[in-house]
Amino acid sequence: MQHSLEDLVDNALARHVSGRVVLVALSGGLDSCLLLNVTVPLARRRGIELRAIHVNHGLQAAARDFESHCRELCNALAVSLTVAQVQVELQGQGLEAAARDARYRAFAEHLSAGDHLWLAQHADDQAETFLLAALRGSGVRGLAGMPSRREWRGIQIERPWLIISRSTLTQEAARRGVTWCEDPTNEDLVFDRNYLRHRLMPPLRDRWSTAVESLARSAVWLQESDGLMTELAAIDLAAAGGDPGRLPLSTLMALSGPRRRLLIRHALERLGLPSPPAARLIELERQLAEAGADRLPAILWPGAEARIWRDHLHLLAPLSAVDPAWQTIWEGHAPLATPWGVYPFELRPPPEAATARLRVGLRRGGESLRLAGRGRRDLKRLLQEAGVPPWQRDRLPLVWFGEELVAVIGLVSAEGWCQTR
């Protein structure tokens, strides 16, 4: 079934929520300039507020020309334009990935939850994404490429033309007399996508005329498979107790290997943490199989870590280093700020200590706490009874009144002291 560009845009506008904004990401290139041209009259007909955003990465001299062209186009179409100047920080990744991260930071800054961000990516982009993922050895999620619609930080991201080829857009832009800027870096074969676009895609199309459409269609089928796998992982997570940060080993080891790995990746995604590289995931599975009551294995990878304790797999963000000598004075009022986080607790003293100045520090060993009805109890035993993981015990803020330990923030208070959140 053939879809016109206007039909695809109008269908996307029909899904729009009243009172929210549609923001077109305008690079100054052919695709986004055409998308804005086509969308303007259709949005006005529906009474939808339409704006544009241009992200200036400042990576090349031509960036000024892109920005100028976007301003001229938006002036001609009477569309409000936001220009975001960004700094691209490499931080161990490639230039393309760093520029993308900078763009999305700008999008997050200028859009509100519920707004729609439209991107002009098309079927050729999808086919290239599919092949790049395959060449990297990606799994189903990577091969599924770009979804036509997804939610990101409350923002609805849409790609109305993901099933349309670049050649169709080029023909339509020429017919409408749309002008755009050519990015000179698009010819630089140093970039993998450009190499794929100029050296590999042309012979593929020569041999298989529908190569782009077929690869893009495969990505759609993989998106469906990825969605089904996500549903299965959600079922398994519910069976595991629903806490993505704490998975019972009994549940994990009852699953097949692929299903167990799927659940772990799903739990990490729910926590906003990156999945482990293949080698780390293999090591994690080995540790799961060998975990015993007397072992506390930990598997670390960039951005996350996994620890096994008390018959559970704990998934968490990397723990920052803590100075064991850290101390501060506290008045007992919320919040309690520490170098590794803020604790929203208040500690109220008994009447005889109403003007107490409290000292907060970390566990050194040998501490004890006097509890109501239980007498003096060893802190180490209290932490074990409360199920506090070993890696958290030395970073719990302890509160002293003089030389007397009176509270462990977030856990327990001494007799006469009241801790509230």
Side-chain angles (χ1 to χ4, degrees), residues 29-81:
L30 181 154
D31 312 326
S32 62
C33 289
L34 179 60
L35 179 60
L36 189 63
N37 270 272
V38 172
T39 306
V40 165
L42 297 173
R44 286 179 179 152
R45 187 183 307 162
R46 288 182 174 272
I48 294 174
E49 182 180 0
L50 180 69
R51 301 177 189 169
I53 181 170
H54 172 73
V55 179
N56 188 333
H57 302 87
L59 294 175
Q60 53 179 307
R64 292 191 297 269
D65 297 330
F66 302 152
E67 180 179 328
S68 296
H69 181 76
C70 291
R71 292 187 185 278
E72 292 170 4
L73 177 59
C74 289
N75 286 336
L77 296 173
V79 172
S80 174
L81 172 67

Side-chain angles (χ1 to χ4, degrees), residues 324-342:
W326 173 82
Q327 291 190 10
T328 190
I329 300 300
W330 187 42
E331 301 297 333
H333 306 302
L336 169 62
T338 72
W340 60 95
V342 175

Side-chain angles (χ1 to χ4, degrees), residues 38-347:
V38 172
T39 306
V40 165
L42 297 173
R44 286 179 179 152
R45 187 183 307 162
R46 288 182 174 272
I48 294 174
E49 182 180 0
L50 180 69
R51 301 177 189 169
I53 181 170
H54 172 73
V55 179
N56 188 333
H57 302 87
L59 294 175
Q60 53 179 307
R64 292 191 297 269
D65 297 330
F66 302 152
E67 180 179 328
S68 296
H69 181 76
C70 291
R71 292 187 185 278
E72 292 170 4
L73 177 59
C74 289
N75 286 336
L77 296 173
V79 172
S80 174
L81 172 67
T82 297
V83 175
Q85 309 284 343
V86 299
Q87 292 288 332
V88 178
E89 302 171 356
L90 294 182
Q91 294 184 342
Q93 57 187 334
L95 183 60
E96 291 174 292
R100 180 185 181 278
D101 288 347
R103 277 197 303 279
Y104 274 80
R105 287 195 299 270
F107 294 152
E109 183 178 344
H110 290 92
L111 279 88
S112 302
D115 286 346
H116 288 232
L117 174 66
W118 281 22
L119 306 176
Q121 287 148 330
H122 45 70
D124 292 63
D125 293 322
Q126 184 75 299
E128 293 161 6
T129 299
F130 176 90
L131 288 174
L132 286 170
L135 291 168
R136 289 193 295 264
S138 299
V140 171
R141 174 66 57 85
L143 293 170
M146 301 174 288
S148 58
R149 297 194 301 275
R150 75 179 179 100
E151 181 177 319
W152 176 74
R153 297 187 182 181
I155 299 167
Q156 303 299 320
I157 297 179
E158 300 205 30
R159 299 175 173 89
W161 288 346
L162 206 50
I163 63 172
I164 301 296
S165 68
R166 179 185 288 115
S167 61
T168 298
L169 298 183
T170 302
Q171 294 168 10
E172 183 64 16
R175 187 184 71 81
R176 289 171 173 262
V178 174
T179 59
W180 65 89
C181 294
E182 290 288 356
D183 186 344
T185 64
N186 285 341
E187 304 299 319
D188 189 346
L189 300 186
V190 168
F191 298 110
D192 291 341
R193 186 176 290 272
N194 289 344
Y195 186 89
L196 193 68
R197 180 177 301 164
H198 296 296
R199 292 292 179 86
L200 298 185
M201 292 305 294
L204 282 177
R205 284 193 295 265
D206 289 343
R207 177 72 177 184
W208 296 280
S209 60
T210 60
V212 165
E213 292 79 3
S214 297
L215 291 171
R217 189 162 56 249
S218 292
V220 171
W221 292 125
L222 285 161
Q223 287 171 17
E224 185 173 295
S225 297
D226 184 53
L228 292 172
M229 290 167 63
T230 299
E231 290 181 17
L232 176 61
I235 293 171
D236 286 342
L237 179 58
D243 183 354
R246 186 173 180 271
L247 304 175
L249 297 189
S250 58
T251 302
L252 284 169
M253 301 314 294
L255 301 174
S256 66
R259 193 164 169 177
R260 179 168 54 249
R261 292 188 291 272
L262 176 66
L263 174 55
I264 292 171
R265 288 192 294 265
H266 177 72
L268 287 164
E269 183 179 9
R270 286 280 305 275
L271 294 167
L273 300 174
S275 291
R280 293 281 80 193
L281 188 54
I282 290 172
E283 175 62 16
L284 175 55
E285 287 209 286
R286 188 185 69 79
Q287 295 283 9
L288 288 172
E290 298 178 0
D294 59 340
R295 299 176 66 245
L296 297 172
I299 305 297
L300 286 69
W301 62 93
E305 57 186 65
R307 295 174 180 264
I308 301 172
W309 181 66
R310 285 195 176 180
D311 298 322
H312 284 78
L313 173 65
H314 297 258
L315 301 172
L316 56 153
L319 297 174
S320 58
V322 173
D323 180 3
W326 173 82
Q327 291 190 10
T328 190
I329 300 300
W330 187 42
E331 301 297 333
H333 306 302
L336 169 62
T338 72
W340 60 95
V342 175
Y343 294 79
F345 292 91
E346 179 177 350
L347 185 63

